[in-house]
Amino acid sequence: MTAAVFFGCTFIAFGPAIALFLFTIAREPLRVIFLIAGAFFWLVSLLLSSLVWFISVQISNKDSAAQQKGLLIFGVVLSVLLQETFRFAYYKLLKKANEGLLALSQEETMPISIRQLALRYMSGLGFGFMSGAFSVVNILADSVGPGTVGIHGDSQHYFLSSAFMTMAIILLHMFWGVVFFDACEKQRWWAVAAVVISHLLVSCLTFQNPDYVASLIPTYVILFLMGVWAFYSAGGSLRNLKLCLTCKDKDFLLANHRSR
Amino acid sequence: MSCSPLWVNTPDRSGKRTATGPACHIRRISGCDPACLPGEGRSASCNSVEKKIYVHLNYTVPCVRLLNATHQIGCQSSLSGDVGVLHVLESEENLDWVLSSGPNPPYMVILESSLFTRSVMMKLKNGSSRVAGIVVVAPNTNPVEGFSPHTSCPNENTGGYDPTLAHCNVTVWNPLGNGLSYEEYDFPIFSLKDDNDTQVIRQCYLNHNQAVNGSSPRYPLCAMQLYSHMSAVTDTATCMRRNDINFSISPEMVCDPLGDFNVWASTRPLNNTEKGHKMWEKVVIAAARLDSRSFFFDVAPGAESGASGFITLLAAAHALRNVTQEAQPNRTIFYTFFQGETFDYIGSSRMVYDMENNQFTVDLDNVHSVLEIGQVGLHGESRLWLHSDPVSRRNSSVNEEVRKLIENLQSAAAGLGFTVGEAGFSQPLPPSSFQRFLRARQIPGVVIENHQLNFTNRYYESMYDNAEYLNVSYPPNLTPEEQLKFVTDTAKALTEVATMVARALYVQAGGAENQQDNINVSQMLYGFLVRSNNSWFQQLIPSDLTSHLSKLILNYTVLTGKCEPTLLVQYLLANLTGSAINITQENCQNQREDENDKESKHMFTYMWVQGAAPPNNTKREGFCVRSTVRLSRAVSPAFELRDYTSKDYSTWTESRWKSIKGRIFLVASHELEVRFPLKDDLFYPCMKTNLQSSETCLVTEIYQM
């Protein structure tokens, strides 16, 4: 459906994430590196799950629709579990590299360490970028042509819903990263389980498609709840929020070398 | 996902110039991995988003662009395809919706064949800012009232007459001709068969595009995109000049001259290596035409305009084989099959040019007379007419020869089921290859046609001139083998015509009168008009050409390169006029009878054909056929002389193109339909044809989403 839909959906899907990247990560090369490493870990998990998927599809019965549907569900669940496993693996890697990171960081800025919130946020965002890219790029590529979805009776809102879903997934990954790392630090395994379960829930909600309302609204509800949880687990509180919004937070200003 | 193109062996004009192999070019069907093709068995592993959006059209026949010295004709689409909202035209009054009142221009108009008339097409052509393209639904039966997209005076500028007689001043040969094929359109025009795919299109229109109670239909609307971008423009001189530009490593050709090969054979072997005048040889030329055309590319059954003539001549040649070998007549009979006659006599003008320049086996002084077989399908009135040239008959010796030839034909027709009359003295010859001979020299000759004044063929040079028009029909429930052997009434009628031609030719060549063998036309009719992949044809061709018989029905358009009809006629003529001889395959393919033979190749042609399989075996037994059949180049002399604005010779070329395809889909609201700028689109940020509305473009509308 041409340029308007293409750009619109791209900006819907990636807008918040790119904004976050530009404002918080782009200035410091080390942060960019962590972001990309996170993306890479997600990519490896996708590779493994797609390998399993490919093999299982080849050995399955291609004509049986029920079997294919079951295979799809299995594939989704497996992929979610693998992603969370690799998130854990990334956590372990960063923990092991802690000492090296301390040596690597420069004296002027605060030392980067696993405890630093920025690291958790960057790894989550990295996962989110890669996941969003793989979700939506092929749809964007087809949105450039002159036609829109619908000649076989599918819903017209295909492109738009995909873009909104992708945006939700990217932000969710970011929040999950924060909560997950925090939970692993504090050994709260129930929180880790909650992250995994909410990821499974969001992925399985997409089986409601093409009933886009039934899949998008619960996803956004979960997004909001995870956002609040991530905010609190990162040490935020209503007081901090007020100070930040009125630009009175001295610690923040100090850390970023800005005068009021 | 990646898409790999599928290659299919059908004639093509895109991209590459092939070597002079026996095959026509291959056309690329753009598409994805087979599992994704619509209409194929859906496998769950293919989930292309593209499949949700587009339905690709399987069978698309475009109209293509042809150029000559002064004009370009045919259709053109834009480089990235033309998109239009579908509209099924109900009547000629309904054109008003397309041309002025419809709210969603541009429209892709779907025409039933009854509306494919000159008035509708001219109105659409003039309103082309609101017309994105036209799709014509080809019916399953021929329209009763006749239809001929050719001009009413075919080949009027390159015949053998000066302007007083040339431009149909005396007789209008093709009165039903509406000239549609020779107009220029700047939108694509495609033809679709009336089958399930077309029904999908009509259903899409009914579901989405129909106006309810006069109000305009609401988005999303069903639309179609057609790609048939032609590379050549303006005229032949321009495109040939652009062909010669070679700045880049892989230079791109934009057009090709039309041309193919003429097929000829002689009853007495002539030395083909020595060109020019042959002493003491007098030759009677028996000519027929091989080609045809229609409005659309590569659909040209040409049943009456071409096939009836050359099949008759082939049958006559076969009948004369034995008697010309036993009792050789004084004069040699030259069977000639010309290609490209539709486009200003390409084949015959080239042969005459070669004869004049001593590039051919004989020259014009050797030609004694010409007998041409034109359209000879008999449609119940059972009368054939002999046309002769009034201008040359003013010369008394020529007149005498013509009179003798006419008497030959009339006595040869005695006892047969039709009568033969002489057409009027005052009218010129109908369009025929003989005119090109007359243009060079006044030679006595006659053209046999089934009409006295204007054509009886109601579908001259159209896609309806097919087996149905000639009444070549078979009882139902026959297998292909049985159909091959079945003798239709048309076959019987053509057999009689062939008998007359054979007898007359033999007498004209100086032999004594005698009866001819039983001639078998039905197999040839079946092969050329119904199915070319039959057992008889398969026996007569070499094994590497069997794949070229796979197309169900032959179409006789002229392309550069040897195409199926020419090859088939060549092998058929060889088998029907030559003889099987007992030499090894290796010798046969090297044009010699044994290892030391160096002379035979000048006189004869040797072809190794695959033959039939004996009853208890599956392997075919090939054999060698020795004949005098040769091919001669049929490319217009204008291209030899590089005179691309020539008025004397044909200058027709056909444009090249990259891809021909079409697809249907839904489009959303028009304000959002801003096309992605392409190379030549950079200065038109709004959709090109949306210029009459005052809506602003692009950026201000994004927020509407």
Side-chain angles (χ1 to χ4, degrees):
Chain A
M1 226 197 76
T2 71
V5 171
F6 173 75
F7 283 116
C9 289
T10 307
F11 294 147
I12 288 176
F14 289 110
I18 292 183
L20 285 167
F21 176 79
L22 283 175
F23 288 134
T24 58
I25 298 183
R27 286 169 191 250
E28 295 186 37
L30 208 54
R31 292 188 178 186
V32 174
I33 291 173
F34 284 123
L35 182 85
I36 294 183
F40 174 73
F41 268 76
W42 189 90
L43 205 56
V44 176
S45 84
L46 180 73
L47 180 68
L48 281 181
S49 53
S50 64
L51 201 65
V52 174
W53 162 260
F54 181 74
I55 294 173
S56 57
V57 162
Q58 295 299 324
I59 61 179
S60 76
N61 176 11
K62 293 211 171 83
D63 295 325
S64 152
Q67 205 181 70
Q68 294 298 319
K69 179 95 176 162
L71 208 55
L72 196 61
I73 297 177
F74 162 70
V76 166
V77 170
L78 178 73
S79 172
V80 168
L81 294 175
L82 272 176
Q83 284 175 46
E84 298 303 328
T85 310
F86 270 80
R87 208 197 295 275
F88 188 69
Y90 193 38
Y91 165 76
K92 279 289 179 198
L93 180 72
L94 288 178
K95 196 153 167 69
K96 281 220 170 103
N98 218 1
E99 299 86 36
L101 288 174
L102 284 170
L104 203 60
S105 63
Q106 296 154 17
E107 285 76 27
E108 304 92 71
T109 62
M110 292 180 65
I112 288 204
S113 79
I114 193 82
R115 286 190 204 85
Q116 200 184 32
L117 306 167
L119 203 59
R120 307 175 193 174
Y121 148 74
M122 281 180 297
S123 64
L125 194 58
F127 267 56
F129 261 121
M130 210 37 133
S131 162
F134 272 80
S135 299
V136 91
V137 158
N138 67 327
I139 296 173
L140 290 177
D142 280 314
S143 73
V144 169
T148 187
V149 173
I151 195 166
H152 294 292
D154 304 306
S155 159
Q156 282 255 345
H157 300 113
Y158 183 75
F159 292 129
L160 213 52
S161 323
S162 307
F164 276 108
M165 191 57 149
T166 307
M167 175 174 83
I169 295 270
I170 296 177
L171 295 176
L172 270 171
H173 267 290
M174 185 177 74
F175 297 142
W176 285 327
V178 173
V179 173
F180 192 95
F181 277 35
D182 181 57
C184 284
E185 255 334 271
K186 297 184 182 144
Q187 309 268 328
R188 285 191 208 151
W189 303 115
W190 62 269
V192 173
V195 165
V196 177
I197 288 176
S198 69
H199 192 170
L200 273 172
L201 189 61
V202 169
S203 292
C204 292
L205 274 174
T206 60
F207 286 119
Q208 304 272 33
N209 291 340
D211 186 4
Y212 296 124
V213 173
S215 72
L216 276 178
I217 294 191
T219 305
Y220 273 83
V221 168
I222 295 178
L223 172 68
F224 179 71
L225 293 172
M226 286 303 303
V228 169
W229 187 1
F231 179 70
Y232 278 109
S233 78
S237 63
L238 284 173
R239 186 182 151 272
N240 281 352
L241 192 60
K242 217 163 51 156
L243 284 176
C244 176
L245 285 175
T246 53
C247 286
K248 289 200 180 96
D249 187 348
K250 293 200 178 62
D251 292 330
F252 177 74
L253 294 172
L254 200 64
N256 285 284
H257 298 284
R258 282 213 191 114
S259 60
R260 261 201 58 204
Chain B
M1 65 173 55
S2 68
C3 291
S4 58
L6 302 171
W7 295 87
V8 168
N9 198 14
T10 53
D12 160 54
R13 309 291 323 111
S14 88
K16 308 178 184 26
R17 188 183 262 290
T18 65
T20 54
C24 297
H25 312 283
I26 41 183
R27 168 161 69 192
R28 193 178 84 165
I29 297 181
S30 79
C32 295
D33 169 47
C36 289
L37 275 179
E40 301 275 335
R42 286 168 181 257
S43 75
S45 61
C46 171
N47 282 315
S48 169
V49 176
E50 204 198 356
K51 244 176 45 157
K52 277 170 135 56
I53 305 178
Y54 302 109
V55 175
H56 291 272
L57 301 178
N58 290 329
Y59 169 82
T60 51
V61 176
C63 112
V64 298
R65 176 173 275 174
L66 292 148
L67 307 103
N68 71 356
T70 48
H71 290 87
Q72 58 181 14
I73 65 173
C75 320
Q76 166 75 305
S77 83
S78 59
L79 188 59
S80 55
D82 281 308
V83 179
V85 171
L86 281 181
H87 181 75
V88 173
L89 201 68
E90 293 146 22
S91 63
E92 199 164 333
E93 289 73 34
N94 195 221
L95 269 180
D96 186 56
W97 177 267
V98 172
L99 295 176
S100 50
S101 61
N104 318 108
Y107 284 99
M108 188 70 72
V109 182
I110 310 235
L111 287 181
E112 306 291 336
S113 61
S114 56
L115 286 168
F116 188 42
T117 59
R118 186 171 174 93
S119 60
V120 169
M121 292 295 287
M122 287 298 113
K123 286 185 191 158
L124 285 170
K125 176 180 158 168
N126 289 333
S128 67
S129 62
R130 284 177 60 109
V131 178
I134 296 180
V135 172
V136 178
V137 179
N140 294 325
T141 56
N142 294 344
V144 171
E145 66 275 6
F147 175 77
S148 169
H150 208 78
T151 50
S152 53
C153 199
N155 290 346
E156 55 186 319
N157 295 317
T158 44
Y161 293 106
D162 58 17
T164 50
L165 285 174
H167 298 292
C168 292
N169 294 330
V170 178
T171 319
V172 176
W173 296 115
N174 187 23
L176 284 173
N178 52 29
L180 281 178
S181 295
Y182 288 84
E183 297 281 343
E184 183 194 342
Y185 307 95
D186 54 8
F187 43 74
I189 304 181
F190 276 50
S191 161
L192 296 179
K193 284 199 269 222
D194 196 353
D195 58 4
N196 285 341
D197 283 348
T198 317
Q199 203 46 38
V200 165
I201 295 174
R202 289 199 188 103
Q203 197 58 43
C204 187
Y205 168 75
L206 290 171
N207 290 342
H208 293 104
N209 291 16
Q210 277 225 304
V212 175
N213 294 339
S215 67
S216 61
R218 300 184 56 217
Y219 279 99
L221 295 175
C222 200
M224 184 188 287
Q225 182 174 35
L226 293 177
Y227 293 79
S228 66
H229 180 73
M230 301 287 143
S231 305
V233 279
T234 321
D235 57 21
T236 295
T238 309
C239 87
M240 293 304 283
R241 188 185 72 227
R242 290 182 185 179
N243 275 349
D244 289 335
I245 297 176
N246 42 13
F247 286 145
S248 68
I249 296 177
S250 54
E252 281 206 0
M253 307 282 288
V254 290
C255 69
D256 294 290
L258 292 184
D260 196 351
F261 288 86
N262 297 326
V263 182
W264 61 267
S266 56
T267 49
R268 180 179 309 154
L270 296 171
N271 191 332
N272 193 40
T273 323
E274 288 174 8
K275 311 275 186 195
H277 187 78
K278 294 261 187 316
M279 292 296 291
W280 312 123
E281 272 293 337
K282 278 289 175 194
V283 156
V284 174
I285 295 185
R289 176 181 120 162
L290 277 181
D291 69 317
S292 174
R293 73 164 297 197
S294 77
F295 185 83
F296 298 102
F297 171 68
D298 206 29
V299 172
E304 177 160 326
S305 56
S308 63
F310 77 75
I311 290 180
T312 309
L313 187 56
L314 280 172
H318 182 44
L320 284 175
R321 166 169 67 182
N322 291 338
V323 77
T324 50
Q325 276 168 2
E326 292 157 15
Q328 197 65 262
N330 295 345
R331 306 184 191 116
T332 311
I333 305 177
F334 227 69
Y335 306 108
T336 338
F337 297 86
F338 292 112
Q339 264 282 18
E341 299 302 279
T342 320
F343 289 104
D344 289 337
Y345 306 120
I346 297 176
S348 51
S349 65
R350 181 55 186 262
M351 185 174 273
V352 171
Y353 176 81
D354 285 343
M355 285 182 178
E356 283 173 329
N357 293 309
N358 294 331
Q359 292 295 314
F360 195 67
T361 317
V362 295
D363 78 351
L364 285 169
D365 292 324
N366 289 120
V367 176
H368 172 263
S369 50
V370 174
L371 175 66
E372 179 168 345
I373 309 178
Q375 307 179 67
V376 291
L378 290 169
H379 295 282
E381 60 278 336
S382 347
R383 201 165 159 80
L384 285 184
W385 298 92
L386 307 175
H387 294 254
S388 57
D389 170 44
V391 172
S392 61
R393 283 181 82 172
R394 293 183 200 141
N395 179 331
S396 58
S397 56
V398 171
N399 190 27
E400 193 52 39
E401 286 296 331
V402 171
R403 215 183 39 76
K404 276 198 233 164
L405 180 52
I406 293 180
E407 272 172 20
N408 267 341
L409 284 162
Q410 282 173 330
S411 60
L416 295 175
F418 57 88
T419 51
V420 166
E422 200 180 327
F425 206 82
S426 56
Q427 70 175 4
L429 284 173
S432 53
S433 316
F434 180 38
Q435 287 197 20
R436 292 300 302 200
F437 284 87
L438 285 174
R439 201 175 160 120
R441 179 117 13 139
Q442 292 197 332
I443 302 174
V446 161
V447 178
I448 308 176
E449 300 269 6
N450 62 3
H451 58 87
Q452 183 185 15
L453 294 172
N454 42 13
F455 291 162
T456 55
N457 187 351
R458 301 202 307 280
Y459 307 110
Y460 185 64
E461 310 286 28
S462 78
M463 55 188 175
Y464 305 119
D465 188 6
N466 50 17
E468 183 192 332
Y469 179 56
L470 271 189
N471 280 336
V472 173
S473 61
Y474 298 91
N477 303 332
L478 283 186
T479 66
E481 274 307 305
E482 289 167 1
Q483 281 181 340
L484 183 67
K485 304 259 186 308
F486 184 81
V487 179
T488 54
D489 290 335
T490 320
K492 289 183 196 150
L494 280 183
T495 307
E496 305 215 303
V497 180
T499 313
M500 171 190 83
V501 169
R503 288 180 192 163
L505 271 178
Y506 189 63
V507 171
Q508 182 72 6
E513 279 215 28
N514 63 2
Q515 300 289 43
Q516 302 306 326
D517 293 329
N518 225 352
I519 301 173
N520 187 356
V521 162
S522 54
Q523 283 183 322
M524 283 193 277
L525 267 181
Y526 179 75
F528 282 108
L529 294 180
V530 180
R531 180 197 296 268
S532 59
N533 191 10
N534 57 52
S535 58
W536 188 52
F537 279 9
Q538 295 234 349
Q539 291 175 20
L540 303 177
I541 57 172
S543 50
D544 53 349
L545 289 182
T546 44
S547 55
H548 293 278
L549 288 186
S550 57
K551 268 171 46 166
L552 193 62
I553 297 192
L554 287 176
N555 294 302
Y556 309 114
T557 42
V558 180
L559 297 169
T560 58
K562 295 180 214 166
C563 286
E564 288 97 6
T566 317
L567 288 173
L568 265 182
V569 168
Q570 177 193 16
Y571 285 103
L572 220 57
L573 192 61
N575 277 286
L576 295 177
T577 58
S579 44
I581 58 171
N582 191 4
I583 59 175
T584 64
Q585 181 172 3
E586 196 196 330
N587 279 336
C588 187
Q589 285 171 336
N590 287 329
Q591 304 295 313
R592 57 185 191 208
E593 303 224 0
D594 53 46
E595 272 74 23
N596 303 320
D597 180 14
K598 300 260 186 296
E599 299 305 315
S600 299
K601 65 174 189 264
H602 302 302
M603 312 290 276
F604 294 105
T605 313
Y606 297 87
M607 299 174 197
W608 185 263
V609 300
Q610 62 176 7
N616 50 357
N617 199 354
T618 51
K619 197 158 180 331
R620 291 180 184 269
E621 288 176 352
F623 58 95
C624 190
V625 175
R626 183 182 72 180
S627 63
T628 54
V629 172
R630 301 212 182 247
L631 294 176
S632 84
R633 248 196 119 60
V635 176
S636 168
F639 295 98
E640 300 295 311
L641 300 167
R642 308 196 83 124
D643 176 15
Y644 304 127
T645 52
S646 164
K647 290 195 178 23
D648 298 323
Y649 299 112
S650 162
T651 49
W652 285 103
T653 54
E654 189 187 57
S655 167
R656 286 204 181 194
W657 59 84
K658 291 274 161 64
S659 68
I660 303 270
K661 53 187 181 183
R663 55 188 184 176
I664 60 171
F665 44 87
L666 293 187
V667 283
S669 170
H670 210 215
E671 285 90 6
L672 297 171
E673 215 174 281
V674 175
R675 280 208 336 238
F676 230 128
L678 290 180
K679 295 187 292 226
D680 52 351
D681 263 353
L682 278 174
F683 297 101
Y684 299 93
C686 286
M687 215 172 138
K688 265 199 198 136
T689 52
N690 193 15
L691 293 175
Q692 72 253 15
S693 73
S694 58
E695 294 161 358
T696 53
C697 310
L698 192 51
V699 182
T700 57
E701 304 293 285
I702 285 188
Y703 64 83
Q704 266 193 7
M705 264 186 66

